[in-house]
Amino acid sequence: MNAKERYHWDLTGFLVLRNVLNKRELKAANDAIDYYQDQIKPGERRNNNPALRGTGRLGLRGINVLQFEKPHCEPFRKMLAHPQVVSRLNVMCGQGFRLDHGPQFIGAVNGTQGGTQHGSGDPHKPGVGYKHQNGNFHVGGVTVTWNLTDANPGKGGFGCVRGSHKSKFPMPRGVRDLEDHVGAVTQVPMKAGDVLFFMDGAQTHGTLPWHADHARRTILFKFAGRQSSRTGPAYELAPPETYWGDDIVGTMAPEEKAVMWGPYSNYGSELPILTIDDEGVVKIED
Ligand SMILES: O=C(O)CCC(=O)C(=O)O
């Protein structure tokens, strides 16, 4: 990672490497997606915000690109530990980085909806936050997006608030749903073969509605630093019964069991949160 890249990454929260895939590699990846085209389907979730609405986001259903039969899995296996990725992630999230979840296919056709802006580091999650120490930076969650088709200016796709990984204030509602973002959210135009790195978890980012006549095709590898756990298999492994075993946690009180969950940062309502009431008794927050 050279000085120019470090500057851009630190300043904006993302980095684009141009032409990482050559024409032959791009064709192999697109051929593989064509082969599994019938498994690309719109999701059920609808975004009803006026600035984001459209048809359902396209995803590969029931299969992961790493599971494609040979030779179709090969272009994506090469992306996993590609030299251009290793050389950047060793600096961005440190040696020992790992794939946390994905790779995820995000597709779109003209009129496909966008997704709300998220990942702003609010509430602060130390595992995926962005920090500086001793002249180095560190971020626990980095997503690497391989573009298989062009995302031209104004046509949608990845959009973010540049520099938001350092913001000291919570994201306003109008930014989240693009209703009133005062120009804060901007698209990052990219060409087929370009690779995007972004601070998933620390930077405010999301999907802009797709307005191009050709399809959007992106593959997102969700990496994490060695000490971070975002979601993916961790979501399945984290419950105390799996993480520790029922013989240890089976007879515990709910408050005791609450501290026996394994690590992952993208938890929702499933994770019990402990609090202390006015009498000094430890309780699970309502
Ligand atoms: O590239 C995109 O559409 C944004 C993806 C996104 O928001 C995410 O992976 O969290």
Side-chain angles (χ1 to χ4, degrees):
M1 193 170 179
N2 62 33
K4 201 167 148 190
E5 291 173 358
R6 274 203 306 271
Y7 176 77
H8 195 283
W9 176 247
D10 175 65
L11 185 71
T12 65
F14 73 90
L15 179 70
V16 179
L17 305 182
R18 303 288 177 196
N19 298 314
V20 178
L21 292 178
N22 62 34
K23 284 207 169 93
R24 187 179 41 78
E25 292 166 323
L26 206 45
K27 181 172 177 335
N30 272 310
D31 286 351
I33 300 293
D34 287 343
Y35 186 80
Y36 285 92
Q37 183 67 39
D38 59 347
Q39 278 172 264
I40 298 177
K41 300 195 175 92
E44 310 245 296
R45 279 170 65 184
R46 283 290 175 281
N47 199 313
N48 288 321
N49 292 302
L52 293 168
R53 67 166 69 118
T55 54
R57 179 158 101 173
L58 298 176
L60 263 173
R61 309 290 163 202
I63 192 158
N64 181 309
V65 292
L66 299 178
Q67 294 169 312
F68 284 1
E69 65 186 49
K70 278 190 168 187
H72 301 303
C73 58
E74 280 160 6
F76 308 107
R77 296 211 170 189
K78 282 189 197 143
M79 293 171 186
L80 194 53
H82 192 286
Q84 299 275 28
V85 170
V86 174
S87 56
R88 301 331 188 278
L89 289 187
N90 266 341
V91 182
M92 292 171 175
C93 46
Q95 290 180 325
F97 67 85
R98 58 183 193 85
L99 187 72
D100 184 85
H101 59 291
Q104 181 187 10
F105 171 84
I106 298 185
V109 290
N110 202 343
T112 296
Q113 68 181 5
T116 44
Q117 295 284 306
H118 59 280
S120 58
D122 174 35
H124 180 60
K125 292 177 176 166
V128 290
Y130 179 73
K131 42 197 169 288
H132 273 256
Q133 196 168 356
N134 302 336
N136 295 315
F137 48 59
H138 178 84
V139 64
V142 176
T143 291
V144 179
T145 303
W146 295 74
N147 291 275
L148 304 189
T149 58
D150 295 349
N152 291 321
K155 300 297 182 189
F158 181 80
C160 66
V161 180
R162 292 160 198 243
S164 52
H165 57 300
K166 295 183 185 178
S167 174
K168 297 193 170 40
F169 301 98
M171 174 182 21
R173 175 159 213 92
V175 171
R176 185 178 297 278
D177 56 19
L178 262 63
E179 279 297 283
D180 180 19
H181 64 94
V182 286
V185 179
T186 53
Q187 185 215 12
V188 178
M190 283 171 280
K191 289 286 180 194
D194 291 353
V195 176
L196 164 76
F197 295 72
F198 69 93
M199 296 182 190
D200 207 342
Q203 185 199 43
T204 298
H205 69 277
T207 306
L208 302 174
W210 190 251
H211 297 303
D213 288 333
H214 66 268
R216 181 182 188 206
R217 283 183 168 183
T218 52
I219 312 286
L220 284 75
F221 289 75
K222 305 268 177 172
F223 286 101
R226 176 57 33 196
Q227 298 83 4
S228 304
S229 181
R230 296 170 60 187
T231 182
Y235 179 80
E236 308 287 335
L237 299 173
E241 294 75 9
T242 319
Y243 200 76
W244 290 92
D246 211 29
D247 50 335
I248 296 183
V249 302
T251 53
M252 283 186 177
E255 291 77 11
E256 293 162 351
K257 220 165 144 177
V259 300
M260 305 301 274
W261 281 72
Y264 69 118
S265 65
N266 290 8
Y267 53 80
S269 55
E270 68 281 0
L271 189 71
I273 303 293
L274 292 178
T275 181
I276 301 172
D277 72 11
D278 293 345
E279 272 78 51
V281 176
V282 172
K283 289 177 59 177
I284 291 176
E285 207 171 64
D286 292 332

